[in-house]
Amino acid sequence: MKSMHVAANAGDLAEDCGILAGDGDEAILMDGMDEVGGEIWLDDHGGDHGHGDDDLIVHHDPSLFYGDLPTLPDFPCMSSSSSSSTSPAPVNAIVSSASSSSAASSSTSSAASWAILRSDGEDPAPNQNQYGSGKCDESSGALQSTASMEIPLDTSQGFGCGEGGGDCIDMMETFGYMDLLDSNEFFDTSAIFSQDDDTPNPNLMDQTLERQQQDQVVVPMMDNNSGGDMQMMNSSLEQDDDLATVFLEWLKNNKETVSAEDLRKVKIKKATIESAARRLGGGKEAMKQLLKLILEWVQTNHLQRRRTTTITNNNNNLSYQQSFQQDPFQNPNPNNNNLIPPSDQTCFSPSTWVPPPPPQQAFVSDPGFGYMPAPNYPQPPPEYLPLLESPQSWPPPPQSGPMPHQQFPMPPNSQYNQFGEPTGFTGYNMNPYQYPYIPPGQMRDQRLLRLCSSATKEARKKRMARQRRFLSHHHRHNNNNSTNQQNQNQVGETCTAAVAPQLNPVTTTTTGGTWMYWPNVPSVPPPQLPPPMETQLQTMDRASSAASAMPRQQVVPDRRQGWKPEKNLRFLLQKVLKQSDVGNLGRIVLPKKEAETHLPELEARDGISLAMEDIGTSRVWNMRYRFWPNNKSRMYLLENTGDFVKTNGLQEGDFIVIYSDVKCGKYLIRGVKVRQPTGQKQEAPPSSAAAAKRQNKSQRNINNNSPSANVVVASPTSQTVK
DNA sequence: CGAACATGCAGTGAA
DNA sequence: TCACTGCATGTTCGA
């Protein structure tokens, strides 16, 4: 089926663009989730902590993870990566060959070649996030379309592409796109629209505009006047007739909700259409298919947004605009407000977007695929949108040094979203599982918004169906593509705040041979304690033992009711820090296997920049992920880690854990202090090389053995707060 | 024995 | 001189 072909190609393009259609999400859906996922410990869940083993919750009931608080995927294995790795054979991130070289150019060109759908950006059409968040986000449209759609800038909201958005829009407008309707004269649909006076729901239409333009309503893709873009499409009258039929059919079905103005704003580049048609097999059928796809998109996205807007507005005082004037990412937990100042939210996602669920969002672009924004995908709130710049507009990153709290200036490399792929299209995530975080405090509003987002049962059904298709699609491609998805965003984005509050940095304190984690949240009693080390380690152990049967990275599946998508952190790797890692070299050697498996594939030894959000401090460190040739192999390094190590007070023997947010694809890093019992503290570096060796050896043993054997969880009475 | 990794150390450039 | 970069080499461990 051609539409499937489109979908498949869309996936290809996604890969080419370094965007994986939620492959990381596939992990969520992996079979056997319960076996490992069920053992995922609860992180910071317990308000009361330190009550002994009773608190060592090893949850076998994954449903527990769908509580209000997120969980951290467990460490399936302890650091010394290679030996304990239970992950599947390394799956190199798929990096398009085009990727590594010219980020800016490729992103530009890709942006230029996207199918351009112009949506009604002027109305605060809420994003119908059919996949869970229920946010009605006006910004959604803008975000969705940062590159692929022409978005009217709403400066009052500060979104669009920011400056970059301006760029991208200008760029879009620079290129010759075609209007679906403008100046087309094949079909006069005015008859259809003229009935709009009787439109049952006047709110769904801009009747004024509509009437004004009735005379101009014509069939899309038949534009001969605007540049003669579509000659190829109307090469034969028969073809036109077929297209007309399809279009008229659609118009009839949607006459209540679509206006001429709506359609007028749908613009698609000629080259895009041509290419799409070719990809669809060419000819009349291809054009029909393409038209259907476009119309479906218009219907599901644009029109639903409009509906949602209407409903939202009717819910007076709850325009979704307003709803986002409150920082949707604000930390609902006042105790954790220090974690992420909303203003510091770094939410743009240069490599965020993932291919849409097939088939209707995928569009062939020239030279590759473009994507019509998937309808109703979550969008960052407007206040973050200025950060959602098109890649080409991002400021160049400093050449060295961590960049905490920077607005994710993306390094040249990262313009091709960390797989080295051009992210010509950024700023929104089409991954249906990438939900914006909804603070509990806003749940009421969110419910309303969700209401509006599923304004019609039809729309809801469609969304659900699409989601199912998407899920199955992902599941099929899980193994091959898992890396890419997690790589799709190397920078923080909208879900930053979603995870940070729950992932309090922890330190391990020991007393008399007992270890425990202790939240690092200053001055406030930790509302939730991370799982005790033992719990984690038990999990690791079990995960390890089960490793042969299943892939290592598993995340809480989202197929359950109550899934809280914002909680999906995916464990990527961890590394017990060696002296050389915490020294002044500012670099950490990463375990090779895990690095190759879970981090973007590196084509050049210079590697790529990775924005790593420090889970503990919410700071974002611009680290460099690279490799050195080493014998016939490679040595993978994370550079610019010096400040991170200092900030977290990490020392030899501590470890770092790197996660990816499966929703956003961004990377999160967590420094975990491990302090051995008094008298054996590793605070001081080994005084001699021999001592260092001994320590290293000991450390290796820790790494390679089941850690749980080495750890005793403190009883509450023996806990000491570091 | 080879792969992975820790780290020593030489080369380079900036202060 | 110092910091940084990057390569080379030694060590450890698993196959």
Side-chain angles (χ1 to χ4, degrees):
Chain A
M1 183 177 172
K2 287 176 180 177
S3 61
M4 293 309 293
H5 175 68
V6 170
N9 286 337
D12 294 342
L13 177 63
E15 292 183 1
D16 290 344
C17 295
I19 299 156
L20 247 280
D23 297 300
D25 292 324
E26 294 171 2
I28 297 174
L29 300 172
M30 298 279 295
D31 291 334
M33 196 57 234
D34 292 348
E35 300 164 37
V36 169
E39 294 180 351
I40 292 175
W41 40 270
L42 291 182
D43 188 16
D44 297 12
H45 275 232
D48 80 347
H49 47 78
H51 291 279
D53 290 343
D54 289 343
D55 290 309
L56 305 182
I57 304 170
V58 179
H59 290 288
H60 294 266
D61 178 6
S63 65
L64 289 173
F65 298 112
Y66 306 118
D68 288 338
L69 295 168
T71 60
L72 274 180
D74 200 356
F75 316 127
C77 63
M78 251 328 233
S79 120
S80 235
S81 43
S82 56
S83 59
S84 58
S85 170
T86 61
S87 56
V91 179
N92 289 336
I94 300 171
V95 180
S96 151
S97 57
S99 65
S100 54
S101 47
S102 61
S105 62
S106 50
S107 58
T108 300
S109 62
S110 60
S113 62
W114 298 119
I116 301 169
L117 283 186
R118 182 187 208 166
S119 78
D120 248 346
E122 64 272 14
D123 60 358
N127 172 33
Q128 299 186 7
N129 182 353
Q130 74 264 38
Y131 294 108
S133 81
K135 278 189 179 181
C136 297
D137 187 349
E138 169 175 351
S139 65
S140 64
L143 287 172
Q144 287 177 349
S145 57
T146 302
S148 70
M149 294 181 68
E150 183 181 15
I151 310 295
L153 283 177
D154 183 345
T155 53
S156 68
Q157 303 233 356
F159 72 95
C161 298
E163 289 189 13
D167 290 345
C168 73
I169 289 176
D170 289 345
M171 180 170 58
M172 290 306 182
E173 293 181 341
T174 303
F175 290 94
Y177 50 77
M178 61 165 288
D179 288 3
L180 274 178
L181 292 176
D182 283 347
S183 308
N184 288 301
E185 300 176 10
F186 261 85
F187 306 109
D188 183 354
T189 55
S190 58
I192 295 172
F193 290 115
S194 66
Q195 301 169 8
D196 288 339
D197 289 341
D198 298 325
T199 298
N201 187 354
N203 288 329
L204 301 180
M205 303 185 64
D206 185 342
Q207 295 189 11
T208 302
L209 284 175
E210 199 172 290
R211 277 189 291 268
Q212 288 173 347
Q213 300 177 4
Q214 282 174 6
D215 293 341
Q216 304 175 27
V217 175
V218 285
V219 170
M221 303 185 181
M222 300 302 154
D223 181 11
N224 287 326
N225 295 335
S226 55
D229 286 333
M230 299 306 299
Q231 289 91 340
M232 64 164 283
M233 295 182 181
N234 51 12
S235 56
S236 80
L237 209 51
E238 290 175 345
Q239 174 174 328
D240 294 339
D241 287 341
D242 282 345
L243 290 174
T245 301
V246 170
F247 184 61
L248 282 171
E249 193 82 6
W250 180 85
L251 280 178
K252 287 175 185 173
N253 292 336
N254 294 278
K255 61 182 180 181
E256 294 180 357
T257 54
V258 71
S259 71
E261 181 66 15
D262 292 334
L263 293 174
R264 182 180 301 278
K265 292 181 178 180
V266 178
K267 300 189 175 186
I268 304 174
K269 254 189 78 185
K270 168 195 172 185
T272 296
I273 293 174
E274 291 173 350
S275 180
R278 281 196 301 272
R279 298 268 185 141
L280 288 169
K284 184 172 68 177
E285 280 305 313
M287 286 309 301
K288 256 166 70 175
Q289 184 66 38
L290 181 57
L291 176 60
K292 286 176 182 176
L293 291 173
I294 294 172
L295 294 177
E296 183 171 355
W297 178 85
V298 171
Q299 181 178 353
T300 57
N301 181 30
H302 178 74
L303 299 181
Q304 287 178 12
R305 282 178 47 199
R306 179 170 283 224
R307 287 193 193 100
T308 304
T309 303
T310 302
I311 292 173
T312 303
N313 290 338
N314 287 344
N315 274 327
N316 91 67
N317 300 334
L318 191 66
S319 77
Y320 95 144
Q321 264 175 298
Q322 290 168 324
S323 73
F324 279 123
Q325 286 169 358
Q326 179 186 5
D327 181 5
F329 295 93
Q330 72 187 3
N331 185 350
N333 181 355
N335 291 338
N336 287 330
N337 279 342
N338 59 319
L339 289 174
I340 303 182
S343 60
D344 283 337
Q345 292 289 348
T346 46
C347 296
F348 84 104
S349 52
S351 49
T352 299
W353 82 289
V354 231
Q360 65 271 26
Q361 294 89 356
F363 268 81
V364 179
S365 173
D366 187 6
F369 264 99
Y371 291 93
M372 290 199 175
N376 312 317
Y377 284 103
Q379 309 297 330
E383 53 265 54
Y384 301 132
L385 295 180
L387 296 178
L388 289 156
E389 299 176 351
S390 59
Q392 58 270 28
S393 66
W394 297 334
Q399 288 307 305
S400 64
M403 299 162 56
H405 272 279
Q406 58 182 307
Q407 301 298 308
F408 293 101
M410 292 308 293
N413 287 336
S414 57
Q415 288 189 351
Y416 25 92
N417 63 30
Q418 50 201 179
F419 339 128
E421 261 309 328
T423 55
F425 182 124
T426 65
Y428 83 100
N429 197 330
M430 300 181 75
N431 185 341
Y433 306 112
Q434 299 187 351
Y435 308 81
Y437 172 64
I438 306 171
Q442 296 181 350
M443 287 311 292
R444 181 200 53 186
D445 290 356
Q446 291 301 328
R447 276 191 290 271
L448 287 173
L449 295 173
R450 193 170 291 128
L451 249 185
C452 72
S453 73
S454 45
T456 67
K457 288 183 179 179
E458 294 269 324
R460 186 184 191 93
K461 284 179 183 175
K462 282 185 179 178
R463 289 193 297 268
M464 296 304 292
R466 190 159 41 240
Q467 185 174 10
R468 280 193 294 271
R469 288 196 301 270
F470 189 78
L471 292 179
S472 63
H473 174 76
H474 277 196
H475 189 71
R476 287 194 304 272
H477 296 285
N478 177 45
N479 289 335
N480 292 334
N481 300 331
S482 61
T483 308
N484 279 353
Q485 192 279 336
Q486 48 182 279
N487 296 338
Q488 53 189 299
N489 299 323
Q490 57 191 7
V491 295
E493 50 182 347
T494 57
C495 30
T496 294
V499 291
Q502 298 90 14
L503 300 178
N504 297 328
V506 295
T507 57
T508 303
T509 61
T510 62
T511 300
T514 59
W515 293 25
M516 63 167 290
Y517 281 120
W518 200 256
N520 230 1
V521 180
S523 75
V524 179
Q528 303 119 8
L529 255 191
M533 182 63 132
E534 182 181 61
T535 304
Q536 298 185 28
L537 298 181
Q538 284 173 351
T539 303
M540 295 177 210
D541 201 24
R542 293 171 190 173
S544 241
S545 62
S548 58
M550 70 184 62
R552 189 169 54 126
Q553 311 83 21
Q554 307 239 357
V555 191
V556 178
D558 67 340
R559 50 191 163 189
R560 304 163 191 280
Q561 287 187 345
W563 181 60
K564 295 294 197 300
E566 67 274 13
K567 299 173 187 173
N568 283 289
L569 290 188
R570 181 184 195 178
F571 169 82
L572 298 184
L573 61 87
Q574 69 178 0
K575 166 70 190 287
V576 174
L577 299 176
K578 300 295 189 278
Q579 184 58 41
S580 57
D581 295 323
V582 298
N584 55 9
L585 293 176
R587 60 193 183 197
I588 296 174
V589 175
L590 296 178
K592 181 171 180 283
K593 187 174 181 180
E594 278 77 2
E596 288 180 339
T597 302
H598 303 300
L599 296 177
E601 180 180 346
L602 301 178
E603 289 191 343
R605 49 178 299 160
D606 284 346
I608 61 175
S609 287
L610 282 186
M612 289 272 190
E613 179 176 329
D614 187 333
I615 292 175
T617 64
S618 295
R619 295 174 75 175
V620 177
W621 305 94
N622 185 29
M623 297 176 177
R624 174 160 286 268
Y625 169 59
R626 63 172 309 177
F627 71 88
W628 294 337
N630 188 264
N631 295 325
K632 301 168 193 170
S633 183
R634 287 179 172 185
M635 223 169 145
Y636 290 91
L637 301 157
L638 199 58
E639 295 184 337
N640 293 337
T641 58
D643 287 352
F644 166 76
V645 167
K646 285 180 189 171
T647 299
N648 287 276
L650 299 177
Q651 298 171 354
E652 181 183 7
D654 299 338
F655 58 95
I656 61 166
V657 189
I658 297 177
Y659 300 91
S660 69
D661 188 308
V662 298
K663 303 188 303 296
C664 308
K666 71 178 177 179
Y667 291 101
L668 299 100
I669 189 169
R670 178 188 202 179
V672 181
K673 294 183 186 178
V674 177
R675 294 294 174 264
Q676 293 179 344
T678 312
Q680 304 180 25
K681 284 195 175 182
Q682 296 180 335
E683 305 286 344
S687 56
S688 67
K693 279 187 179 180
R694 281 194 300 273
Q695 266 194 346
N696 287 340
K697 189 167 184 176
S698 159
Q699 188 62 60
R700 271 195 199 222
N701 290 335
I702 291 176
N703 294 340
N704 296 333
N705 299 331
S706 169
S708 57
N710 301 323
V711 176
V712 177
V713 176
S715 68
T717 55
S718 64
Q719 293 175 356
T720 56
V721 180
K722 179 179 169 60

